[in-house]
């Protein structure tokens, strides 16, 4: 009699966890904000562009760097139109292979995950492991794994406040992400070990 055992996908965290973010942000240079995900409304990218525009109008030196494919293509065209209308602070690089994307996290000052809906969000996981200060929507499933809710926002207005706070109180977010990275790494390693133990248990019965 054959037996099939289905184990949920485990997360390989070590390669990402070894990337250490280096704090280079100062108000004499723009805060480099990272967005990584599909260029579509569900990912909240257009809300983020709106937020950055509003804060720049208030005098904050911010630039937004976007990585991700677009569906449909018209949404990429929208970003191109914005760039041509004076949004020179908006940079779009298209889709990047995951291995290359992992290396990108150390080059930015803040990662924002503004998803309207996202079941888990690998970007948030990788950014936190890289110790890149990260703020995220409460719609992403990964928020259930972190205890520091100061990194989480629930609305557009709250995202604005988090972005503003990160700009003026950046060291606070460095401290928060350092502890959150350690916590999340421990939780995922424990979960992976539990999955492996469960596999051995059921495969030997």
């Amino acid at each position: 009699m054959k037996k099939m055992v289905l184990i949920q996908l485990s997360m390989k965290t070590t390669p990402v966890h070894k990337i250490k973010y280096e704090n280079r942000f100062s108000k004499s240079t723009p805060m480099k904000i990272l967005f990584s995900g599909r260029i579509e409304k569900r990912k909240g990218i257009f809300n983020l562009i709106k937020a950055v525009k509003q804060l720049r109008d208030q005098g904050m030196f911010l630039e937004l760097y976007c990585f991700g494919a677009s569906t449909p293509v018209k949404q990429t065209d929208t970003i191109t139109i914005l760039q041509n209308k004076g949004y020179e602070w908006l940079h779009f690089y298209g889709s990047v292979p995951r291995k290359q994307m992992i290396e990108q996290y150390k080059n930015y000052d803040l990662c924002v995950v503004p998803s309207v809906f996202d079941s888990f969000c690998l970007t948030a996981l990788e950014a936190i492991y890289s110790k890149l200060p990260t703020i995220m929507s409460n719609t992403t499933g990964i928020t259930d794994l972190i205890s520091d809710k100061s990194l989480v926002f629930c609305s557009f207005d709250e995202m604005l406040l988090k972005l503003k706070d990160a700009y003026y109180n950046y060291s606070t977010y460095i401290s928060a992400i350092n502890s959150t990275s350690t916590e999340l790494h421990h939780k995922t390693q424990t979960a992976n070990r539990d999955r492996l133990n469960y596999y051995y248990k059921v495969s030997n019965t």
Side-chain angles (χ1 to χ4, degrees), residues 35 40-54 64 89 112 114-116 137 153 155-157 159-160 163:
F35 169 88
E40 59 185 16
K41 289 183 179 180
R42 182 175 69 86
K43 292 293 187 177
I45 177 59
F46 298 105
N47 287 336
L48 179 56
I49 292 172
K50 179 182 176 181
V52 172
K53 174 66 166 58
Q54 287 188 23
L64 178 58
W89 45 266
V112 181
S115 301
V116 176
S137 165
F153 54 84
S155 65
F156 176 81
D157 288 340
M159 177 170 65
L160 271 177
L163 283 166

